[in-house]
Amino acid sequence: MSMSGADFSGVGEDPRIFRNVCRDRILKDMLKPDKDKENKSAWKVLIMDKFTVRIIGYACKMAEITDAGVSLVEDLFKRREPMPSMDAIYFLQPLKENVIMLLSDMSGRCPLYRKAYIFFSSPIPKDLVTYIKNDMSVIPRIGALREMNLEFFAIDMQGFVTDHDMALTELYSANGHNSKNFNDTISTMAVRIATTFASLKEFPCVRYRAPKSADPSTAPKFDMVPKWLANAVWEIVSKYKSTIPEFPQKETCELLILDRPIDQIAPVIHEWIYDAMCHDLLEMDGNKYIYEVSKAGSDPEKKEALLEDQDPLWIELRHTHIADASERLYEKMNTFVSKNKAAQLSRDGGEVSTTDLQKIVQALPQYSEQVEKLTLHIEIAGKINKFIREYGLRDIGQVEQDLVFGDAGAKEVINILRSKQNMSQENKLRLLIIYAIVCPDKFEGDKGDKLMQLAKLPSDDMKVIKSLQYLVGSDAKKTGRAGGFSLKFDAQKKKNTGVRTERQDGEEGWALSRFFPLIEELIEKLSKGELPLNEYPSLSEPSSTAQGTAQSASAAKPAQNPQPMSRRSRRTPQYAKSRNSDDGQSSDSAVLRHASGDFKRLGNRIFVFMVGGATRSELRTAHKLTMKLKREIVLGSSSIDDPPQFISVNLSFVIELLIHILTDFTLLLNPQMQKLKSLGPS
């Protein structure tokens, strides 16, 4: 008998899926090139720096590295034993300190290894090439010297990050754009984005969120970030046409560069998807979850579990609503028990508990791994549901989503702040940030002060909300391009009218599943050829090849009555949905099952890069739209941020940023500006 979740083992193994391409480049192009396939006994040493070890860690399993003939993995900067009879593969960033250590290993009369096969993660500067050539004792010992162009973390089958967790601070802070750090961040980010296209042999049509100001000389520096980054990426990938063999000469895909200000709600709203709730509510270290297992007659044992693609249950559940995930888990557990007599004898009667499952593992050792995974996710779902009840998140989430869709206002916010005296400061702040973004006029005069007092927020949190008040109030007097990047934080919304465009896509959803990130609409418009060029310019003429085979004839038609992108379309919440619905809301496993068989029929890829951190709901959107649009959607970002992380990292920065925004818009004559300055750090 097999577990129902076992059907999903092996999904996502299609070699054409984004992360699998990255994995194969490491395993086949670097660790096991064709010439070594005949000599399987030729074990090698793999030497990496701290950055490249993470590149490989995200893309490959240790077993795969071993199968590729690597017997030992070493740290470049740690003392290593000489192995003169073995070859070494160096996978390094092209930094001088790394090259110095490399030459130290391979120079002199007694090198550490027989041959050095050197692979750099990105293009190596000419001065470092010269530095290597000048050491004549090393040249004969170099078996290969190549640029892998693989300098990003493939954190998901369809997602990557460039490892710039502080991008908002480095690129958008008051003094950041005048510093060397600003230029370095843009440059490094561009290189890492470009290496994704080098790895996939894709030449992108590059588009970006246009600056709000028509005159670049008067635009705030932070407003130019997407354009500057797009130009830097375009310059690099254009050179690939002449430097990388078999690199396309015409656009084969699309890249859309955005930044966090296009959707300020997504990083702070409570998401109700299993993956998002795990990272929001549980104390996790990356994808590592630590939990306790009780054993009879002994103290509980701490165990670690990785919530990753090798776990078929995680693949099935991660993009489902928490209510759906909970139902599926208990159905799997009860089905397993009902179909297995030994499992029935091991239970104590009544509902199956995790203790019963532990007994089942002892009675049925052949199913131990499957039952342990099931037990793990039942415990996780149970803990999440416990937090939902304890924190009153259902009521908070309802108000948050009603605010976004224009169905709630001051009355509902005040009521929930009064009725939930035990609401955490973080949840209060998240709720009020959403309220300030959606309804900035409600913070005018002393109304905002009274709301702050009711919330009993610390002074630093109150400054963030009050800064939003001045930002929105001052900018509301300025005109801007409809639907473009707005510093008014969706100020066009009229919450009392509740006017929204109904999405006629036939989707059914669970309660509290109405919210969706704005990149969903942007990607759909990009795929259809309906994304306005004046708001999202292209650095080249978009070609039909780049737009993909999935694009229909309707792509050429202009959008009918286009709505500003700051408006969210309404989705009617329901408490149940068809498990077999093909609405894009189903689990990853269903999507990937289709993808595995239909991948060759997908159109060309769409890449979206979010400067300033992407959210898990946005990563989920990439998976959801892949099958809907019949094109693989790859989401890149400077980082993947969960709400607690986003707030803690960026809270102190927000005040400085907002004050700087006002300064750049030359509002110094506004009497409120002086008042705002007094809110800033001393």
Side-chain angles (χ1 to χ4, degrees):
M1 181 196 137
S2 65
M3 297 284 289
S4 54
D7 295 337
F8 302 107
S9 59
V11 297
E13 291 304 312
D14 193 298
R16 291 156 293 191
I17 293 176
F18 170 72
R19 184 160 66 182
N20 292 346
V21 174
C22 304
R23 177 198 64 193
D24 290 348
R25 288 207 65 224
I26 292 170
L27 297 178
K28 297 177 181 179
D29 296 350
M30 183 172 71
L31 299 185
K32 197 173 183 180
D34 293 339
K35 64 180 181 180
D36 289 341
K37 287 183 179 178
E38 297 177 0
N39 188 6
K40 295 183 179 180
S41 62
W43 290 99
K44 303 174 284 286
V45 181
L46 175 60
I47 302 161
M48 297 176 283
D49 57 41
K50 290 182 178 179
F51 189 84
T52 53
V53 74
R54 295 173 66 194
I55 295 174
I56 286 189
Y58 279 109
C60 306
K61 305 172 190 175
M62 192 62 206
E64 293 172 328
I65 295 172
T66 303
D67 289 345
V70 174
S71 62
L72 186 63
V73 177
E74 296 270 35
D75 186 328
L76 177 67
F77 287 92
K78 288 186 178 179
R79 184 180 179 86
R80 287 164 278 128
E81 292 294 325
M83 296 182 178
S85 63
M86 297 181 67
D87 293 338
I89 296 177
Y90 286 84
F91 182 36
L92 310 171
Q93 280 188 289
L95 304 175
K96 187 169 184 179
E97 56 266 32
N98 289 347
V99 172
I100 290 173
M101 289 298 298
L102 162 68
L103 296 180
S104 175
D105 288 350
M106 299 304 298
S107 62
R109 297 180 60 185
C110 301
L112 293 185
Y113 310 105
R114 181 173 57 194
K115 285 273 188 181
Y117 295 83
I118 307 164
F119 298 86
F120 288 108
S121 57
S122 58
I124 180 171
K126 291 182 179 180
D127 60 322
L128 289 184
V129 175
T130 303
Y131 191 73
I132 295 172
K133 288 181 177 179
N134 287 339
D135 193 328
M136 299 307 296
S137 65
V138 171
I139 297 299
R141 297 165 183 165
I142 295 178
L145 180 62
R146 289 181 54 190
E147 295 171 346
M148 277 296 288
N149 287 308
L150 192 68
E151 195 165 287
F152 54 89
F153 301 155
I155 58 163
D156 183 86
M157 282 179 286
Q158 292 172 227
F160 70 95
V161 297
T162 59
D163 195 36
H164 290 94
D165 293 346
M166 301 300 294
L168 276 178
T169 302
E170 293 169 344
L171 298 178
Y172 294 79
S173 63
N175 298 315
H177 61 268
N178 292 321
S179 67
K180 180 178 182 295
N181 192 41
F182 177 92
N183 295 329
D184 289 346
T185 301
I186 289 285
S187 176
T188 304
M189 195 179 292
V191 166
R192 293 177 183 174
I193 294 170
T195 63
T196 63
F197 299 103
S199 293
L200 274 68
K201 296 284 182 72
E202 293 268 25
F203 183 35
C205 169
V206 181
R207 298 182 67 175
Y208 59 93
R209 191 270 299 163
K212 183 180 180 184
S213 174
D215 184 0
S217 63
T218 61
K221 300 295 185 183
F222 70 87
D223 196 23
M224 300 293 294
V225 167
K227 180 176 182 178
W228 288 339
L229 181 61
N231 283 324
V233 172
W234 175 254
E235 183 178 350
I236 297 170
V237 296
S238 295
K239 293 178 181 177
Y240 288 160
K241 292 194 291 184
S242 59
T243 59
I244 295 180
E246 300 180 5
F247 193 80
Q249 300 300 300
K250 294 182 178 180
E251 290 88 346
T252 60
C253 64
E254 293 174 273
L255 167 64
L256 178 62
I257 296 181
L258 308 169
D259 56 355
R260 192 65 272 161
I262 69 158
D263 187 355
Q264 307 92 350
I265 293 176
V268 295
I269 196 170
H270 283 90
E271 279 281 358
W272 294 81
I273 303 305
Y274 189 56
D275 180 13
M277 297 206 87
C278 285
H279 289 86
D280 190 351
L281 300 180
L282 306 180
E283 293 185 4
M284 295 184 61
D285 180 10
N287 289 333
K288 185 189 299 181
Y289 173 66
I290 301 175
Y291 63 107
E292 290 186 348
V293 176
S294 300
K295 290 191 175 181
S298 62
D299 294 333
E301 177 186 351
K302 282 194 173 183
K303 297 189 72 174
E304 294 182 355
L306 291 177
L307 303 183
E308 58 182 4
D309 295 347
Q310 282 70 48
D311 178 352
L313 261 180
W314 172 249
I315 288 292
E316 178 185 351
L317 300 174
R318 64 176 179 170
H319 289 160
T320 61
H321 192 283
I322 180 61
D324 189 15
S326 300
E327 284 189 7
R328 292 188 190 205
L329 287 168
Y330 281 97
E331 284 176 8
K332 290 177 185 294
M333 178 173 63
N334 290 325
T335 300
F336 177 73
V337 172
S338 66
K339 292 184 177 180
N340 196 293
K341 292 182 179 180
Q344 295 172 23
L345 295 172
S346 300
R347 59 186 293 192
D348 293 331
E351 290 188 0
V352 182
S353 66
T354 52
T355 302
D356 293 331
L357 285 173
Q358 290 166 9
K359 293 180 180 179
I360 291 171
V361 170
Q362 297 172 356
L364 301 168
Q366 67 270 35
Y367 298 122
S368 62
E369 182 178 354
Q370 295 165 317
V371 175
E372 283 178 4
K373 290 291 186 186
L374 185 57
T375 306
L376 166 67
H377 288 285
I378 287 174
E379 197 228 70
I380 290 174
K383 186 175 288 188
I384 290 173
N385 282 304
K386 174 173 173 282
F387 288 148
I388 290 173
R389 293 189 298 270
E390 288 181 356
Y391 301 158
L393 292 183
R394 184 181 178 87
D395 293 334
I396 296 171
Q398 190 69 59
V399 174
E400 288 178 347
Q401 299 209 13
D402 284 348
L403 281 171
V404 171
F405 287 91
D407 297 331
K411 179 181 178 181
E412 289 77 11
V413 173
I414 291 171
N415 285 345
I416 197 168
L417 290 175
R418 283 177 174 167
S419 63
K420 294 193 177 296
Q421 296 293 326
N422 61 343
M423 189 190 304
S424 69
Q425 291 181 354
E426 179 190 303
N427 286 336
K428 290 177 185 178
L429 179 60
R430 289 165 69 170
L431 176 64
L432 290 178
I433 287 176
I434 293 170
Y435 186 37
I437 290 170
V438 175
C439 309
D441 57 304
K442 298 304 180 182
F443 281 75
E444 292 178 353
D446 62 352
K447 288 185 288 187
D449 293 332
K450 290 179 180 178
L451 202 55
M452 298 302 108
Q453 293 169 8
L454 177 62
K456 298 177 182 177
L457 288 174
S459 58
D460 284 348
D461 291 357
M462 291 172 65
K463 289 176 182 178
V464 174
I465 306 299
K466 292 195 76 174
S467 296
L468 283 170
Q469 170 200 351
Y470 290 107
L471 169 65
V472 175
S474 299
D475 190 62
K477 300 175 184 179
K478 302 184 70 66
T479 59
R481 193 179 57 251
F485 167 53
S486 173
L487 291 174
K488 291 183 287 188
F489 293 96
D490 297 349
Q492 294 163 326
K493 295 181 177 179
K494 304 295 184 183
K495 71 177 187 66
N496 293 326
T497 65
V499 177
R500 291 296 184 274
T501 303
E502 187 82 26
R503 284 180 70 94
Q504 303 295 334
D505 52 9
E507 290 189 357
E508 299 179 31
W510 295 85
L512 299 174
S513 63
R514 300 165 69 188
F515 177 82
F516 63 98
L518 288 181
I519 68 165
E520 184 170 329
E521 291 182 352
L522 291 173
I523 293 171
E524 287 182 333
K525 287 192 174 186
L526 177 65
S527 182
K528 295 175 183 177
E530 297 174 355
L531 196 62
L533 278 169
N534 63 322
E535 297 170 18
Y536 299 91
S538 173
L539 293 179
S540 64
E541 192 68 29
S543 65
S544 57
T545 304
Q547 291 176 353
T549 58
Q551 182 176 320
S552 66
S554 63
K557 299 179 182 179
Q560 298 296 320
N561 300 320
Q563 295 293 321
M565 289 310 300
S566 60
R567 295 176 181 264
R568 298 182 189 275
S569 304
R570 167 174 296 191
R571 299 181 177 187
T572 304
Q574 298 183 5
Y575 285 91
K577 68 181 180 67
S578 169
R579 190 65 59 79
N580 297 321
S581 63
D582 190 20
D583 58 5
Q585 298 279 3
S586 56
S587 66
D588 265 7
S589 45
V591 172
L592 289 173
R593 274 206 306 260
H594 290 299
S596 183
D598 298 344
F599 212 86
K600 63 183 179 181
R601 293 196 290 272
L602 294 183
N604 294 334
R605 290 184 176 97
I606 293 177
F607 293 81
V608 179
F609 189 86
M610 180 71 74
V611 183
T615 69
R616 295 187 186 276
S617 62
E618 289 165 339
L619 186 57
R620 173 177 175 263
T621 295
H623 288 264
K624 171 185 171 181
L625 293 182
T626 289
M627 286 297 102
K628 180 177 180 180
L629 302 178
K630 303 301 181 185
R631 303 177 67 177
E632 185 186 16
I633 314 298
V634 179
L635 176 67
S637 182
S638 48
S639 59
I640 294 289
D641 294 336
D642 306 304
Q645 174 190 357
F646 181 84
I647 291 173
S648 63
V649 169
N650 299 301
L651 182 59
S652 60
F653 152 71
V654 169
I655 301 171
E656 180 185 9
L657 169 60
L658 296 178
I659 294 174
H660 175 57
I661 291 172
L662 295 183
T663 304
D664 269 344
F665 276 109
T666 65
L667 297 174
L668 292 172
L669 297 179
N670 190 327
Q672 291 181 329
M673 186 61 192
Q674 298 304 321
K675 197 173 180 181
L676 178 59
K677 280 190 172 181
S678 66
L679 297 174
S682 56

